[in-house]
Amino acid sequence: MDTSKNRHIFFRTHISQIVQLTDIEFEQVLNYFTFRKYKKHQYITQHGDIGSHEHFVLKGIVKSSYTDLSGKEHILQLAMEEWWFSDINAFNNEQPATLNADCLEDTETYSISFENKEKLCAESRKMEYFFRKKYTTGNIALQKRVLALLSSSASERYNQLLIQYPLLYKRVSKTIIAAYLGVSRETLSRLSNTG
């Protein structure tokens, strides 16, 4: 985003897909968020961090991942413009983060702390409803993703990605796309050559 005005318009447009805010209400909402800028490859959250935030992506792409004991990285989410991300457990239960969130591009976000989100929801029924709707949508998407990983073939997951997120496929490295789909880089090459 080039200016704070553009950021505000983008964010307000996103919110207005669910609730309508007056100018005063929107200004009050903005007071609970912090604008942040990150460089490509910079971590927003790392495993073990305390004080997690919820983030709205204004610009860029963020990878949320978990590294298991053998050192293998599992990508839970690739969040681009107009998506929300957080380490849900760390954010809601004030636990140390289990996920790493790092920027695949230069990234800008609006972030909100758990305390501020609670205050905002107590103050604004509209925003409480907004967050409830976003939480539900996010849970549905996560459930679909888990079920796809459990029951869909690599080819089906690949084709679904192309249909749902064509821009993401063009902006993210094939190595990361392969990890996101739960396939090897070679399998992704084969799928892209036959697709």
Side-chain angles (χ1 to χ4, degrees), residues 48-125:
D49 284 355
I50 305 292
S52 184
H53 286 70
E54 198 165 56
H55 304 270
F56 173 74
V57 181
L58 295 158
K59 172 186 166 188
I61 300 179
V62 177
K63 175 185 71 174
S64 292
S65 62
Y66 170 76
T67 304
D68 66 24
L69 294 175
S70 69
K72 182 177 180 184
E73 180 183 54
H74 304 275
I75 299 175
L76 273 71
Q77 182 184 23
L78 296 171
M80 57 184 180
E81 291 85 4
E82 212 176 352
W83 292 15
W84 293 81
F85 72 92
S86 69
D87 183 316
I88 296 170
N89 182 52
F91 179 74
N92 288 287
N93 296 320
E94 299 180 350
Q95 299 288 318
T98 54
L99 302 179
N100 296 310
D102 60 303
C103 302
L104 302 181
E105 298 177 349
D106 287 350
T107 298
E108 297 178 0
T109 70
Y110 276 138
S111 66
I112 188 168
S113 67
F114 179 78
E115 182 182 1
N116 275 352
K117 186 177 177 183
E118 290 288 293
K119 287 179 183 174
L120 175 56
C121 289
E123 179 184 291
S124 169
R125 290 190 64 135

Side-chain angles (χ1 to χ4, degrees), residues 132-174:
R132 189 158 36 91
K133 291 292 282 185
K134 294 308 293 182
Y135 186 75
T136 301
T137 303
N139 275 339
I140 291 168
L142 180 60
Q143 178 177 306
K144 286 181 178 177
R145 174 157 163 68
V146 170
L147 290 174
L149 285 170
L150 292 172
S151 62
S152 299
S153 68
S155 177
E156 289 168 334
R157 294 195 304 274
Y158 172 76
N159 288 326
Q160 190 61 36
L161 177 77
L162 292 180
I163 292 165
Q164 278 188 294
Y165 311 119
L167 291 177
L168 188 64
Y169 187 81
K170 292 176 183 170
R171 289 168 62 184
V172 175
S173 77
K174 300 306 176 259

Side-chain angles (χ1 to χ4, degrees), residues 23-40:
D23 291 346
I24 292 171
E25 286 171 334
F26 180 68
E27 287 302 319
Q28 290 170 336
V29 167
L30 281 178
N31 288 332
Y32 288 95
F33 286 85
T34 303
F35 171 67
R36 299 178 192 269
K37 292 178 86 162
Y38 303 92
K39 292 289 185 190
K40 183 177 180 178

